[in-house]
Amino acid sequence: MYLYLLGLLVLYYLYRWLRELPRVPNKGSKYVYITGCDSGFGNLLARHLDQQGFRVIASCFTEKGEEDLKKSCSSNLITAHLDVRSKDSVAKVAAMIKDKVGQQGVTVPSGPCDWLTIDDYRSLLEVNLVGVISVTLSVLPLIKKARGRVVNMASVAGRLSMSGGAYPVSKSGVEAFNDSLRLNMAPFGVKVVCIEPGFFKTNMSDPELLNNNFKRLWEKLPQQSPAMYLYLLGLLVLYYLYRWLRELPRVPNKGSKYVYITGCDSGFGNLLARHLDQQGFRVIASCFTEKGEEDLKKSCSSNLITAHLDVRSKDSVAKVAAMIKDKVGQQGLWAVVNNAGVSVPSAPCDWLTIDDYESMLQVNLNGVIAVTLSVLPLIKKARGRVVNVASVFGRVGATGGPYIVSKYGVEGFNDSLRINMKPFGVKVLCIEPGFFKTNVTDAAILSKNVQRLWDKLPQDVKDDYGPEYLPKALSFIPEKLAKMSDGDLMKVVHCMEHAVAAVRPRTRYSPGWDAKLFWLPLSYMPTCVIDYILTKEAIPVARGK
């Protein structure tokens, strides 16, 4: 039997090798746009593709990088200065490429890194994540025209966060953008490919530039039990019984423990604030609107404190953090629950601009990081909790747009922070809800968002999707959400409460049957299976027919 399996394995790899051997013809007429060519992978790739006969457009951040590359390549290679943080720089290079390639089209990969205040996160995310999105969107019409390729440089850190800082956050975001773009572009014949390198000797793996001992962090990761025991029903029952008993105890002295919750105007945050207030915690509930604060005060005890918070504003975040510091004193802050978030704009990737991405990332990702960092010293003092609300869409890139990117980013931040805070006794926990009836899944809001974005699209993009796409999308949204959304929000709130109050909380919570039985199992499937399932019932586009 084992020889038979070995034979099948050999045949599979032989088949795959033969299938992947053929290369595209007419390399001399195909333009390839590469970012980050000053050194490392980008530099080597530019030289290699130039030798193979492709028309390489190599962007560098420095003049020296351009000069060195020109010296080592043929006259066919074109260099350009590019700062991916600058919209003008991205647009200028995109315009140059459009002039060069004409009606042919283009192919795109990317690259680079650093860490720890919210400004550190923002500066790295602008390069590693927003830069990737910005460059891609700037040339996406040309790629669609050529039915070409988008090659995104992620990292194994986009799959498993082994260090702190913004790097794994950015690479998780690249993975999300790659997945959502791949699904969106499949009908147009555009292949979206992800490179996930391990550790190589480049500037990014220079020991002098790295502040963390990856080996030490890796060794701290919990070891999983052998999977074979999960198949034994008896042990499975015992395990769940043990877990239930283990997770029953709640922390004592709730009346002296402060819990800071964002996004309490409505939905999960509002219900959690009321629930924890009833349980005796000292709740600090931040709202975006005055009405939200007033309504919450009316329905809670006098112990509850409300605060106005705009997570996009450094001043607002700092002001609330200062107030909390005065309140909690030397005992510190027991928990922060990062619940604030938005779901629009959301649409296929090529409907959106980089501003659309940035506006949501400011709330859903940068807001989470900013709030957490603002009170992290207080949480360390209390050996408390950080509870981040992500989503099943932080596991599976099921739609286009920035929502998935932001939630993948939250997952990356959560994982890296969990490892960093473990030595300090701080528990970092993640809530990954499925579909529930909140503002995030409000069909009216989402439909209005789709209509607004469609109205702004240039005619050529509308033609790509066809006149039937919009009406089908507008009927698809309420129909699907009605079927999938769970009205019992307390399922999520109970998970949040457990994360805050249990003596032994879980690392991750997946409230909702759709999360447990569909989205999470799907996230462990091979990419080809995920793509097949998600695109099987997708709305057909005109150019994909």
Side-chain angles (χ1 to χ4, degrees):
M1 174 184 174
Y2 294 111
L3 289 175
Y4 173 72
L5 292 174
L6 181 62
L8 285 178
L9 194 63
V10 170
L11 284 174
Y12 164 72
Y13 279 105
L14 179 62
Y15 162 75
R16 194 173 78 167
W17 177 69
L18 291 171
R19 185 175 180 272
E20 294 176 356
L21 268 180
R23 296 297 191 264
V24 293
N26 306 320
K27 294 177 183 177
S29 65
K30 288 182 167 59
Y31 285 82
V32 181
Y33 174 24
I34 310 171
T35 66
C37 294
D38 298 78
S39 62
F41 299 132
N43 185 281
L44 291 172
L45 179 62
R47 298 183 189 198
H48 185 64
L49 293 184
D50 179 65
Q51 288 173 358
Q52 290 203 346
F54 284 96
R55 304 297 297 274
V56 177
I57 302 169
S59 69
C60 301
F61 186 64
T62 63
E63 287 185 11
K64 186 177 184 301
E66 291 187 65
E67 290 168 5
D68 291 347
L69 201 55
K70 283 179 180 176
K71 291 175 185 176
S72 59
C73 294
S74 74
S75 58
N76 286 330
L77 181 131
I78 303 163
T79 61
H81 171 72
L82 175 67
D83 181 351
V84 295
R85 300 167 297 183
S86 165
K87 293 178 188 176
D88 292 339
S89 180
V90 170
K92 184 179 177 182
V93 176
M96 179 272 286
I97 292 171
K98 188 173 182 180
D99 290 339
K100 289 284 182 186
V101 304
Q103 294 300 312
Q104 293 177 42
V106 66
T107 306
V108 186
S110 285
C113 142
D114 219 324
W115 86 301
L116 233 113
T117 67
I118 187 61
D119 291 325
D120 294 326
Y121 273 90
R122 283 192 176 116
S123 64
L124 192 139
L125 289 170
E126 281 180 7
V127 177
N128 285 11
L129 178 55
V130 176
V132 169
I133 298 170
S134 183
V135 167
T136 304
L137 294 180
S138 72
V139 293
L140 199 54
L142 302 175
I143 296 170
K144 287 166 69 178
K145 193 175 289 182
R147 298 175 75 88
R149 314 257 168 110
V150 178
V151 183
N152 291 314
M153 184 67 73
S155 164
V156 289
R159 294 292 194 105
L160 175 65
S161 297
M162 293 180 286
S163 67
Y167 188 77
V169 178
S170 68
K171 293 305 180 181
S172 293
V174 171
E175 293 275 357
F177 177 62
N178 188 86
D179 288 352
S180 58
L181 185 67
R182 187 181 67 250
L183 291 171
N184 288 162
M185 292 296 104
F188 302 105
V190 173
K191 290 182 170 62
V192 181
V193 184
C194 195
I195 311 292
E196 300 168 332
F199 287 86
F200 287 85
K201 289 183 179 178
T202 67
N203 289 343
M204 285 187 288
S205 59
D206 187 331
E208 294 180 7
L209 300 177
L210 299 173
N211 298 320
N212 297 291
N213 183 332
F214 290 117
K215 183 179 179 182
R216 177 179 63 83
L217 294 174
W218 175 260
E219 289 172 352
K220 284 187 176 183
L221 290 174
Q223 297 293 318
Q224 293 184 349
S225 301
M228 61 175 286
Y229 293 110
L230 297 177
Y231 297 109
L232 302 175
L233 183 60
L235 286 179
L236 192 64
V237 171
L238 286 174
Y239 165 72
Y240 278 106
L241 179 62
Y242 163 74
R243 191 175 77 167
W244 178 70
L245 292 170
R246 185 176 182 273
E247 293 177 351
L248 272 179
R250 295 298 193 263
V251 293
N253 306 319
K254 294 177 183 177
S256 64
K257 287 181 166 61
Y258 285 84
V259 180
Y260 174 24
I261 310 170
T262 67
C264 294
D265 297 79
S266 61
F268 301 134
N270 185 281
L271 290 172
L272 179 64
R274 299 183 190 198
H275 187 62
L276 293 183
D277 179 64
Q278 289 173 358
Q279 290 202 346
F281 283 97
R282 304 297 297 272
V283 176
I284 301 169
S286 68
C287 300
F288 186 63
T289 64
E290 287 185 12
K291 186 178 184 301
E293 291 186 66
E294 291 168 3
D295 291 346
L296 201 54
K297 283 178 180 176
K298 291 174 185 175
S299 59
C300 295
S301 74
S302 58
N303 287 330
L304 181 131
I305 303 163
T306 62
H308 170 72
L309 176 66
D310 180 351
V311 297
R312 300 168 298 182
S313 164
K314 290 183 189 177
D315 292 339
S316 181
V317 170
K319 184 179 178 182
V320 176
M323 179 272 286
I324 292 171
K325 187 175 182 180
D326 290 340
K327 289 284 182 186
V328 302
Q330 290 302 309
Q331 68 180 4
L333 178 66
W334 175 248
V336 60
V337 181
N338 285 302
N339 169 72
V342 294
S343 62
V344 293
S346 286
C349 298
D350 54 337
W351 290 25
L352 302 167
T353 66
I354 192 63
D355 292 330
D356 294 322
Y357 276 86
E358 287 180 330
S359 66
M360 187 180 289
L361 291 173
Q362 284 282 18
V363 178
N364 288 9
L365 180 55
N366 290 342
V368 169
I369 298 170
V371 167
T372 303
L373 296 181
S374 72
V375 294
L376 199 54
L378 301 175
I379 293 171
K380 287 167 71 177
K381 190 177 290 184
R383 297 175 71 86
R385 316 264 167 102
V386 177
V387 183
N388 293 314
V389 180
S391 165
V392 288
F393 283 176
R395 295 290 198 102
V396 180
T399 65
Y403 186 77
I404 287 173
V405 177
S406 69
K407 292 305 180 181
Y408 266 72
V410 170
E411 293 274 356
F413 176 63
N414 187 86
D415 289 350
S416 58
L417 185 68
R418 186 182 67 248
I419 293 168
N420 289 162
M421 291 297 105
K422 191 172 182 180
F424 301 103
V426 173
K427 291 180 169 63
V428 181
L429 317 159
C430 195
I431 313 291
E432 301 168 334
F435 281 77
F436 286 85
K437 290 181 180 177
T438 66
N439 287 342
V440 171
T441 56
D442 188 315
I445 293 173
L446 294 172
S447 297
K448 186 178 179 181
N449 154 76
V450 168
Q451 180 70 62
R452 180 181 63 83
L453 291 171
W454 176 268
D455 292 341
K456 289 167 59 179
L457 288 177
Q459 190 57 47
D460 60 329
V461 178
K462 289 182 179 179
D463 292 341
D464 287 343
Y465 284 84
E468 296 178 1
Y469 188 88
L470 180 63
K472 286 182 179 178
L474 293 177
S475 63
F476 179 85
I477 291 169
E479 180 185 323
K480 282 292 180 183
L481 289 176
K483 289 179 181 177
M484 296 174 67
S485 297
D486 190 333
D488 184 6
L489 304 191
M490 289 306 294
K491 289 178 182 175
V492 178
V493 174
H494 286 313
C495 290
M496 291 173 158
E497 181 271 334
H498 191 272
V500 170
V503 173
R504 301 179 189 89
R506 300 179 193 176
T507 304
R508 278 186 165 82
Y509 297 83
S510 304
W513 289 113
D514 62 320
K516 291 180 175 69
L517 300 180
F518 179 70
W519 295 110
L520 290 186
L522 184 66
S523 71
Y524 295 111
M525 297 287 182
T527 302
C528 59
V529 175
I530 296 173
D531 286 0
Y532 172 75
I533 291 172
L534 294 179
T535 57
K536 187 172 65 170
E537 295 185 11
I539 302 169
V541 300
R543 270 194 63 182
K545 294 177 181 177

